[in-house]
Amino acid sequence: MPTSATQHAPRGFRHASVLLDGAVDALVHDRAGAYLDGTFGRGGHSRAILARLTREGRLLAIDRDPQAIAAAATITDPRFAIEQGDFARLGDIARDHGLHGRLAGVLLDVGVSSPQLDDPARGFSFLRDGPLDMRMDPTRGESAAAWLARADEGEIARVFKAYGEERFARRLARAIVARRGERPFTRTADLAEVIKAAHPAWEKGKHPATRAFQALRIQVNGELEQLGAALEAALEALAPGGHLVVISFHSLEDRRVKRFIRDHVRGDTQVPRGVPLRDDQILRRLEALGKARRPGATEVEANPRARSAVMRAARKRY
C-alpha cells in the first residue's frame, strides 16, 4: 500500500475533516473501485479514502480553491489525481478521466473550509479583518465587495433573506446602501460593524453579522446552484450500486440534499402526478443508506464548527 495515503496535511491553517470516519465508511464499499471527492479542501477525506483502497482503487478529487490544489501536491500516490474546477462540473471532469458512469462513490463536503475561514486574506470571516472578497476561487468571478457596490437595496435584502434567513434583511440592506454612499465597503470588519450597529435583535451567542456574511458568501460563490448541479451530475456519474455521500453545514444546503435524495428514492422526479402506474413501474434511482447522521459530542467538542454538520448517504439503483 502506498505510504502517501496516510500523509499528514501540509502545515498552515488547521483543518479537521468533519465526520471523517463516518463519511468514508458510508462511501467506500468496493476497495478496488474508483471514487470522486468533489471538495478536496485540505485532503482529510481524500487521504482517508486512499487508505481504504487497494492498489487497484482510484481517487479523483476536485476543488476550485487554488490553495487546495496546492495542498494536493503533497499527495504523490499514483492512484490519486486532482482537477481544479467547480464540483458542479464533476460529470465532465469524471468523463475526462474515463470514469463517468463508473464511479463507485462520490463524496461532497459542502460549504466553506476552516482554512478559508481562518485566513483573513480570504475575507470570509467577520471575526478577522481582511479584504471583503469571499470567493472560493479568488482568480474568478465577482468579489463580495464588488457585488455590494453594485447591488440595489432590494437585491441585497433578497439575498440576506433567502440565503441567510435574516429576519431584518431589509433594515440591514438599507444601512449598507446608506453607508456605501459615503465610501465603498472594502474590508470585512467595516461591513460587520455597520451590520452590528443596524441589527436590532442579536441572537444569543451569535454575532449579528453571521447570517448576512453567510448569505454574501453563498451569493458570491453561487453555492446553492452549484450544489444542485453537482447532485444531478453525481447521480449520472455513479455506476449502478455506487454511493453518494453529502455533508452539509446549514439548513439551506441540507434541505436541498434531503429533497434530492427523497425525490429519487420515491421516484417523484420521474413520474407526473396522476399517472396510473404500478409500484414496480415507478423509476426510483436512489436508495437511502440509513438516516441523516450528525457528529457526536466528542467530535463537536474537538471541533466546534462540526456542530451543524449533517451527513446523508444513498445508493444508486440503476
Side-chain angles (χ1 to χ4, degrees), residues 79-162:
R79 303 169 299 167
F80 175 79
I82 189 166
E83 295 283 349
Q84 184 173 0
D86 301 332
F87 65 5
R89 294 188 53 249
L90 70 84
D92 293 334
I93 293 172
R95 191 173 285 110
D96 291 343
H97 286 259
L99 297 176
H100 194 269
R102 298 174 52 201
L103 290 169
V106 173
L107 171 65
L108 303 175
D109 183 1
V110 186
V112 65
S113 69
S114 290
Q116 290 168 331
L117 282 171
D118 292 339
D119 184 355
R122 302 301 300 272
F124 286 101
S125 176
F126 46 80
L127 297 176
R128 300 170 179 84
D129 185 37
L132 188 59
D133 194 312
M134 295 193 185
R135 290 172 294 173
M136 292 184 180
D137 180 355
T139 68
R140 298 177 58 191
E142 186 177 44
S143 70
W147 185 81
L148 275 181
R150 68 166 180 81
D152 62 30
E153 181 180 316
E155 179 68 1
I156 295 171
R158 184 196 67 80
V159 166
F160 285 0
K161 180 69 173 179

